[in-house]
Amino acid sequence: MIAHVFRGLALDSVQRGHPVISALLCSYCPAAVRWWRAGADPSQPFDPFWAVLEHRSAGRTLMEALEFMDLAGLAGFARRYVSKVEDYRGQARNRRIASPEQLPTFLEEKLPLAYRHEFARALEKIGGWQNFSPFLRAWAFVFPDWLQQLRIEPHADVRIVDRSIDFLKHPLFQLPFWQFRGSGRKILGAFTQNVHAPTCFLTAFLVQFFEQGIDFDGDEMYILDSLGRAHRYRAHWSTAELAGILEGLSVFASSGPYPPLMALNDLTACTECGYEAICWKKSGGSPPSLTPLALNF
């Protein structure tokens, strides 16, 4: 879900220090709002799910997407990977499990070392060879799973759209969302890597705002997770409660302290953060460590 916010920061409509954006970043990790308010621009980490939506919204097939990424030479590996996942998903014990290929019992074939060297430059553009199989999985399996759960035909129109947020007289800003059009319906999707995100504050804020019907141009809103599931979410906070939470978080964001709570709670979640490079020091074969700057909160 946080990827929608980080991508929104790149839009011209977002004012540095915006109270609502500050609160949303703070709810994710206080360190993130610290860097943003200090003037640092977030990077946009490669996200295989967003990449799939970007290529599909441009009308590309998987082969055309690989050619666009200068990875057409890996088409043979891609076919083998997809076939292996299809076989695993087809086993009777796995048919009722969401994304069973994510289980430790699935023996995933790693991209051969020779390919990693041959396509090193192109793979670097997608954040490393480790992101290639997740991209294939997102394209061939997670995206169709979403469409099936949304009850939309396989060739539905999909696009990335910017939607305006104008919450309780705060300055207007925009965030990007995914829009699916098909079977006579328009669905707005918000994506999260976190399979428990339907219970988080950021989700509640976005859904509550959507339910007010303000400039979202969609008939329904779903939270789409990395296991291929689509959640029809109903907010459990009132607008007044959300406003109070936002106000408290905004005050906290303006004064600190700014501990890197996400890093302290879930190291893997930092890979979604546009400020990972500020908080983490990575070198050679040594384990990554938090920077002195991040720890001096």
Side-chain angles (χ1 to χ4, degrees), residues 41-82:
D41 292 323
S43 63
Q44 299 295 337
F46 178 83
D47 185 313
F49 300 93
W50 277 85
V52 166
L53 264 291
E54 288 165 355
H55 287 296
R56 284 185 175 271
S57 66
R60 300 186 185 105
T61 63
L62 176 55
M63 191 62 206
E64 289 169 340
L66 294 179
E67 291 173 351
F68 184 87
M69 297 187 295
D70 296 324
L71 293 171
L74 297 180
F77 174 85
R79 284 190 290 269
R80 291 195 304 273
Y81 173 84
V82 170

Side-chain angles (χ1 to χ4, degrees), residues 11-292:
L11 301 176
D12 293 336
S13 65
V14 178
Q15 168 191 340
R16 183 80 64 171
H18 191 292
V20 176
I21 289 288
S22 294
L24 296 179
L25 284 174
C26 193
S27 73
Y28 170 72
C29 182
V33 74
R34 173 191 183 185
W35 309 134
W36 183 57
R37 291 176 68 92
D41 292 323
S43 63
Q44 299 295 337
F46 178 83
D47 185 313
F49 300 93
W50 277 85
V52 166
L53 264 291
E54 288 165 355
H55 287 296
R56 284 185 175 271
S57 66
R60 300 186 185 105
T61 63
L62 176 55
M63 191 62 206
E64 289 169 340
L66 294 179
E67 291 173 351
F68 184 87
M69 297 187 295
D70 296 324
L71 293 171
L74 297 180
F77 174 85
R79 284 190 290 269
R80 291 195 304 273
Y81 173 84
V82 170
S83 177
K84 189 170 183 178
V85 175
E86 284 177 341
D87 290 344
Y88 192 74
R89 282 188 169 214
Q91 295 176 15
R93 64 181 181 180
N94 295 328
R95 289 173 186 165
R96 294 183 179 274
I97 302 174
S99 293
E101 67 279 359
Q102 293 296 91
L103 296 173
T105 49
F106 176 66
L107 302 178
E108 179 183 331
E109 178 185 355
K110 304 297 184 183
L111 190 67
L113 190 60
Y115 285 154
R116 300 180 205 175
H117 288 300
E118 182 179 354
F119 297 95
R121 183 170 298 180
L123 290 169
E124 184 178 350
K125 295 177 183 178
I126 66 168
W129 66 269
Q130 298 92 335
N131 281 330
F132 187 61
S133 291
F135 173 79
L136 298 175
R137 173 180 165 267
W139 188 292
F141 300 102
V142 177
F143 184 83
D145 286 346
W146 287 333
L147 296 185
Q148 184 178 28
Q149 294 229 346
L150 295 172
R151 300 184 303 281
I152 291 183
E153 65 264 15
H155 301 293
D157 177 49
V158 59
R159 63 190 69 183
I160 298 174
V161 295
D162 297 332
R163 288 290 170 255
S164 297
I165 309 289
D166 183 12
F167 190 76
L168 296 179
K169 300 182 180 180
H170 287 295
L172 181 143
F173 64 96
Q174 290 184 318
L175 294 179
F177 291 88
W178 300 349
Q179 189 178 69
F180 301 83
R181 293 171 179 255
S183 303
R185 299 159 67 207
K186 281 188 300 185
I187 293 176
L188 209 64
F191 170 70
T192 178
Q193 291 274 10
N194 179 5
V195 296
H196 302 296
T199 62
C200 78
F201 167 73
L202 178 55
T203 304
F205 171 77
L206 294 177
V207 174
Q208 189 86 344
F209 194 85
F210 166 77
E211 290 182 345
Q212 295 177 19
I214 304 175
D215 192 34
F216 267 70
D217 188 27
D219 298 324
E220 306 163 70
M221 184 173 186
Y222 282 81
I223 310 301
L224 310 175
D225 73 23
S226 57
L227 295 181
R229 300 177 300 187
H231 305 269
R232 187 76 172 96
Y233 181 84
R234 293 295 179 186
H236 51 274
W237 281 313
S238 68
T239 301
E241 288 172 324
L242 279 177
I245 295 170
L246 280 170
E247 180 65 26
L249 287 173
S250 179
V251 171
F252 180 84
S254 65
S255 60
Y258 304 103
L261 289 182
M262 186 56 69
L264 300 178
N265 287 314
D266 182 3
L267 300 181
T268 61
C270 291
T271 59
E272 295 182 76
C273 182
Y275 294 112
E276 182 188 17
I278 300 179
C279 287
W280 286 97
K281 180 181 179 181
K282 300 180 181 181
S283 59
S286 302
S289 59
L290 284 168
T291 63

